[in-house]
Amino acid sequence: MICFTRKRLLDLVRSIGFGFQLSMACLLVASVGITSASNACADGKSPNVLVILADDQGWGDLSLHGNPNLSTPNIDSLARDGAQIDHFYVCAVCSPTRAEFLTGRYHTRMGVYSTSAGGERFNVDERTIGDVFRGAGYATAAYGKWHSGMQWPYHPNARGFDDFYGFCSGHWGNYFSPMLEHNGQIVEGKGFIVDDLTSHAIDFISAHSNSADSEPEQGSEPFFVYLPLNTPHSPMQVPDPFWDRFADKAMVPDPAPENAKGQDIQHTRAAMAMCENIDHNVGRLLRHLDEQKLADNTIVVYFSDNGPNGKRFNGGMRGRKGSTTEGGLRSPCLIRYPAQIPAGTHVKQVGAAIDLLPTLADLAEIGWEQQRPLDGISLADALRQMSTGPTDRLLFSAWGGKATVRSQQYRMQRDGSLYDLAADPGETTDIAGQRPEIAGKMKSALDAWIAETKPLSRDHKETRPFPLGHPQATWTQLPARDAKSTGAIVRSNRFPNCTFMTKWTNTRDQITWDVDVLAEGDFEVQMYYSCPAESVGSTIRLTCGESTLDAEISEPNDAPLIGMKEDRLQRAEGYVRRWKPMTLGQIHLEPGRTTLALRATDVPGEQVADMRLLMFRRLP
């Protein structure tokens, strides 16, 4: 029997002509015996997958999309050598997009309602893209900003990713050799964070090479690498070589007057420099795939998590990050896979983050059982140029009390306004009164979706505790951002993700966490802190249920706030310190929901300490 790979079949069918695709494909299957993923050719290779996600990079932040202020040749090359989905949509902010990419389902179904303090977590019974690919024999890794939960079973290691390096919060306070984690354990990064994350991805790719022309015994399992970068999200930090090209550069404004008049030039300069740094690192990845002879057999995906984090060039679209208009929801989406996707492909079908799981599983020919109905669809045939054209579908999104529905041509907002995006991409003219039939149908669909998925308000009060001591987790981190405080103790900044507790000065006040101890055990506890030498000597007590642990702060860590020198403009988020761990001792925990409390029992100086996080290590 002659054995054809899928690429050879597609090339043959395309050479014959699209009018005969169906009949020829059937004929080839019947007479030649084309194999499937579960019965692959002996020399066949499952494709590798590399997914790169930018943070706060808008659709217009690429030279590919006409932005005259920067150059992104490496990212642009993915469209030249592969495909771009012309109208691709994500969510208004970070964590909902991540939940939808990871599961193929709307975040409103899964308990996501916020970007911090537990509201970023999607339900533990959801199956992730990491689970799907690991279940198909892939080595899986995630490097960067996870932003979907910190403690097991929300941690990336519990959600299908064998290796994780980065941070789990929504933003980070320092981008140069920062405190990060590797599979739960606190480590220190090396150099600028985006460069560092990229280096980890390169190392993982090298360790799990699966090239199309390697012998089975020479290669290893295919890889699935998820690289969620954390720029150009603030704080606006970027290495000097990238900043120097923009420090005094004039910025061409967006053609929309509303965007142009609201632009912060210095912020835009920093964002452009950060985007060029991303492009530099995408170039590093693409060159490495070439050097390892992996390019032809690797699916590379590039997209962003929401609209731009400032008013700047965005193709004249209305809105930015946080809005449910085109400017807040439209993202670049570029997919290169030489084995199946013709160079220069434009997908006209509207697509979304919810489509990436089924699309990638289809391209990789993975058979998997869906535990819950997906909201996304596979765009694989459109990418292969095997579909007849776009079909109308409805894409929904909600954030901050706003909601919207997008069809192939129209967008409707929750207030009933309707826009023809083919004729009016800037959403300037409400045509609901002119097209009442379309408006009525879309309004009914949006109302039904809201009633079904029940989007939560950002004012929703978290009822889920923070897990502690999962039996499969060696490390459990409980940061200050997940805690509450009483009395004079305050959070260092109103944006909680990278904050610490400060003004801890007496024995009355305490720091508490609502926890659910998942399995009995003994744990070593460390506290990451700072304390000036003149305040050393405070004793502190940790209480969890009936168990207590007492310790004395015996060593100073007079660490100054850092980040100001590296910032390219003043930040809204708080600054951080170089935190030092101290071992509090060992504590025995019993299963069940309880309050974990930290307070001082003696304060000989002016303060106790600034507290960044507690780390629990399960003992054998």
Side-chain angles (χ1 to χ4, degrees), residues 123-145:
N123 295 336
V124 296
D125 56 357
E126 296 287 339
R127 191 176 189 185
T128 73
I129 196 168
D131 295 324
V132 170
F133 276 83
R134 185 165 67 178
Y138 278 68
T140 58
Y143 301 124
K145 170 182 167 176

Side-chain angles (χ1 to χ4, degrees), residues 87 89 315 317 326 330 348 350 392 406-412 418-429 431 435 438 442:
H87 290 88
Y89 296 95
M317 291 187 290
E326 284 286 291
R330 190 176 175 188
K348 301 301 181 183
V350 293
D392 210 4
R406 198 338 178 157
S407 70
Q408 190 69 27
Q409 183 173 351
Y410 300 96
R411 178 176 295 285
M412 168 166 276
L418 178 70
Y419 303 92
D420 182 348
L421 297 177
D424 179 25
E427 296 172 273
T428 61
T429 304
I431 62 166
R435 306 300 298 270
I438 292 172
M442 293 188 72

Side-chain angles (χ1 to χ4, degrees), residues 67-69 250-254 263 265 268 312-313:
N67 192 327
N69 297 307
M251 293 286 105
V252 176
D254 189 79
Q263 179 172 230
I265 298 296
T268 298
R312 54 181 182 261
F313 183 93

Side-chain angles (χ1 to χ4, degrees), residues 18-150:
F18 283 94
F20 298 95
Q21 284 174 359
L22 182 59
S23 60
M24 281 304 300
C26 293
L27 177 62
L28 285 169
V29 170
S31 62
V32 182
I34 299 165
T35 58
S36 67
S38 60
N39 184 28
C41 299
D43 61 350
K45 287 281 187 177
S46 296
N48 307 298
V49 182
L50 169 61
V51 178
I52 307 163
L53 175 62
D55 190 8
D56 285 2
Q57 182 183 52
W59 178 89
D61 289 336
L62 299 176
S63 51
L64 171 70
H65 293 149
N67 192 327
N69 297 307
L70 82 168
S71 178
T72 53
N74 296 300
I75 299 171
D76 296 355
S77 76
L78 297 173
R80 181 196 66 215
D81 300 334
Q84 53 184 311
I85 301 174
D86 289 344
H87 290 88
F88 183 84
Y89 296 95
V90 291
C91 299
V93 291
C94 314
S95 50
T97 293
R98 284 159 170 74
E100 295 192 358
F101 158 69
L102 288 166
T103 65
R105 288 162 47 82
Y106 288 119
H107 77 273
T108 50
R109 300 188 188 279
M110 301 182 288
V112 177
Y113 67 92
S114 178
T115 58
S116 63
E120 77 282 9
R121 300 176 291 177
F122 59 90
N123 295 336
V124 296
D125 56 357
E126 296 287 339
R127 191 176 189 185
T128 73
I129 196 168
D131 295 324
V132 170
F133 276 83
R134 185 165 67 178
Y138 278 68
T140 58
Y143 301 124
K145 170 182 167 176
W146 175 247
H147 203 186
S148 292
M150 181 172 291

Side-chain angles (χ1 to χ4, degrees), residues 217-543:
E217 65 270 18
Q218 294 175 325
S220 61
E221 69 270 47
F223 60 78
F224 183 99
V225 175
Y226 172 40
L227 185 61
L229 304 175
N230 62 300
T231 58
H233 194 295
S234 56
M236 309 305 283
Q237 296 184 342
V238 65
D240 288 341
F242 296 93
W243 171 248
D244 291 345
R245 296 201 289 270
F246 289 91
D248 301 310
K249 186 176 180 179
M251 293 286 105
V252 176
D254 189 79
E258 178 64 25
N259 291 341
K261 72 180 182 182
Q263 179 172 230
D264 181 332
I265 298 296
Q266 195 75 347
H267 185 277
T268 298
R269 287 169 174 158
M272 297 298 95
M274 296 163 92
C275 289
E276 286 203 353
N277 171 264
I278 294 173
D279 186 77
H280 162 74
N281 281 290
V282 170
R284 292 176 61 202
L285 288 160
L286 298 182
R287 285 191 296 274
H288 186 68
L289 292 175
D290 287 338
E291 291 164 0
Q292 297 292 311
K293 298 182 179 180
L294 296 170
D296 286 347
N297 200 44
T298 299
I299 305 168
V300 180
V301 180
Y302 187 92
F303 72 116
S304 185
D305 63 353
N306 46 246
N309 55 350
K311 291 187 175 181
R312 54 181 182 261
F313 183 93
N314 201 23
M317 291 187 290
R318 176 184 169 196
R320 47 161 287 184
K321 175 182 179 178
S323 69
T324 56
T325 53
E326 284 286 291
L329 301 179
R330 190 176 175 188
S331 163
C333 185
L334 315 175
I335 305 179
R336 189 189 77 175
Y337 181 23
Q340 292 194 22
I341 299 175
T345 294
H346 282 263
V347 174
K348 301 301 181 183
Q349 173 73 60
V350 293
I354 52 175
D355 299 331
L356 289 176
L357 191 163
T359 298
L360 293 174
D362 197 351
L363 289 173
E365 299 183 333
I366 290 175
W368 59 290
E369 183 178 350
Q370 299 176 15
Q371 296 177 331
R372 286 175 173 76
L374 296 187
D375 293 306
I377 64 172
S378 174
L379 301 176
D381 282 347
L383 290 164
R384 299 178 185 126
Q385 296 187 359
M386 296 292 287
S387 63
T388 57
T391 57
D392 210 4
R393 62 184 296 213
L394 297 180
L395 295 171
F396 300 92
S397 192
W399 183 250
K402 299 168 288 188
T404 184
V405 57
R406 198 338 178 157
S407 70
Q408 190 69 27
Q409 183 173 351
Y410 300 96
R411 178 176 295 285
M412 168 166 276
Q413 298 294 336
R414 193 173 190 175
D415 63 6
S417 57
L418 178 70
Y419 303 92
D420 182 348
L421 297 177
D424 179 25
E427 296 172 273
T428 61
T429 304
D430 178 5
I431 62 166
Q434 302 170 34
R435 306 300 298 270
E437 183 178 351
I438 292 172
K441 289 180 178 179
M442 293 188 72
K443 184 68 163 60
S444 295
L446 181 57
D447 289 344
W449 180 80
I450 292 170
E452 178 191 352
T453 68
K454 299 178 176 59
L456 297 172
S457 165
R458 282 181 293 179
D459 297 329
H460 174 77
K461 300 302 181 183
E462 180 61 82
T463 58
R464 296 170 296 180
F466 294 97
L468 173 58
H470 191 283
Q472 292 179 259
T474 300
W475 308 91
T476 303
Q477 182 182 158
L478 290 174
R481 66 152 215 172
D482 293 341
K484 298 184 184 299
S485 62
T486 65
I489 302 174
V490 296
R491 191 179 300 284
S492 60
N493 187 270
R494 67 188 182 92
F495 298 109
N497 277 301
C498 204
T499 54
F500 54 92
M501 293 296 186
T502 188
K503 297 187 178 181
W504 186 7
T505 60
N506 60 62
T507 59
R508 300 182 302 277
D509 304 335
Q510 60 182 356
I511 304 165
T512 65
W513 292 261
D514 178 12
V515 300
D516 185 10
V517 179
L518 300 182
E520 179 182 4
D522 295 314
F523 297 84
E524 179 187 76
V525 186
Q526 288 186 322
M527 181 178 77
Y528 283 71
Y529 76 104
S530 71
C531 177
E534 59 270 21
S535 291
V536 166
S538 293
T539 56
I540 57 177
R541 174 168 293 171
L542 182 68
T543 304

